[in-house]
Amino acid sequence: MLWGRQTYRWSDLDFEANAKDGSGIDWPLRYKEIASWYDYVEKFIGVSGSIENLPQLPDGQFQPPMEMNIVEKDVAARIKKEYNDTRRMIIGRCAHITESLPGRTKCQYRAKCELGCPYGGYFSTQSSTLPAAVKTGNLTLRP
Ligand code: SF4
């Protein structure tokens, strides 16, 4: 299982899917009940992405999207045209910041993420949740 910090909202297409299919147990909530929590988390962890107005993939509190490369831009434009905008290739929505946050510097695009990020460019416990916990004064770190 690989997260790769790809961070997408579910829509009611997902929350209602098993109820409609008649399999498994229906989710106990729907999108509108969880949307404000998506807002909260996205702002806290920092998620970059594009606004697309797709009902099946709700937009969020995104930082500016990363830029597609020249080939991706061309493929995306061709898909959009060929399928009359019913199919779309979009940039990933990922927990890499494109604007710096307090205590974190925006991604430097060095592709060294597997070594850990000294800038806090991607969301991690070390860059985000532990510093926030320290700030509360309720955290004691013991070696
Ligand atoms: S290591 Fe940090 S700065 Fe470098 S590409 Fe990964 S997230 Fe960006």
Side-chain angles (χ1 to χ4, degrees):
M1 193 158 94
L2 180 68
W3 176 42
R5 294 170 291 284
Q6 293 296 304
T7 311
Y8 301 90
R9 292 185 174 211
W10 274 19
S11 69
D12 279 336
L13 190 74
D14 306 291
F15 287 113
E16 295 172 358
N18 56 350
K20 284 181 178 163
D21 287 351
S23 64
I25 299 168
D26 188 15
W27 281 87
L29 49 80
R30 291 294 182 258
Y31 178 71
K32 68 176 178 1
E33 296 167 79
I34 204 169
S36 63
W37 292 103
Y38 275 124
D39 288 345
Y40 183 86
V41 170
E42 285 160 353
K43 280 192 264 189
F44 178 75
I45 72 175
V47 177
S48 58
S50 57
I51 301 296
E52 300 287 341
N53 295 310
L54 296 169
Q56 71 274 31
L57 191 67
D59 296 323
Q61 303 291 323
F62 302 140
Q63 292 195 350
M66 291 185 181
E67 192 178 358
M68 288 186 184
N69 67 33
I70 190 77
V71 175
E72 292 164 341
K73 281 181 188 169
D74 187 55
V75 172
R78 289 188 197 200
I79 289 174
K80 194 169 180 171
K81 187 172 169 217
E82 179 72 23
Y83 293 101
N84 200 23
D85 204 20
T86 58
R87 298 276 190 280
R88 214 178 290 176
M89 182 174 115
I90 65 172
I91 194 74
R93 294 172 173 176
C94 60
H96 281 244
I97 53 176
T98 53
E99 287 178 340
S100 297
L101 291 172
R104 296 173 60 193
T105 304
K106 66 183 178 182
C107 179
Q108 306 294 303
Y109 306 104
R110 305 174 313 151
K112 297 279 187 192
C113 311
E114 70 277 12
L115 301 177
C117 183
Y119 299 97
Y122 63 71
F123 166 74
S124 69
T125 303
Q126 288 81 1
S127 71
S128 302
T129 41
L130 276 177
V134 168
K135 268 193 201 155
T136 67
N138 297 320
L139 175 73
T140 305
L141 286 174
R142 295 187 194 284

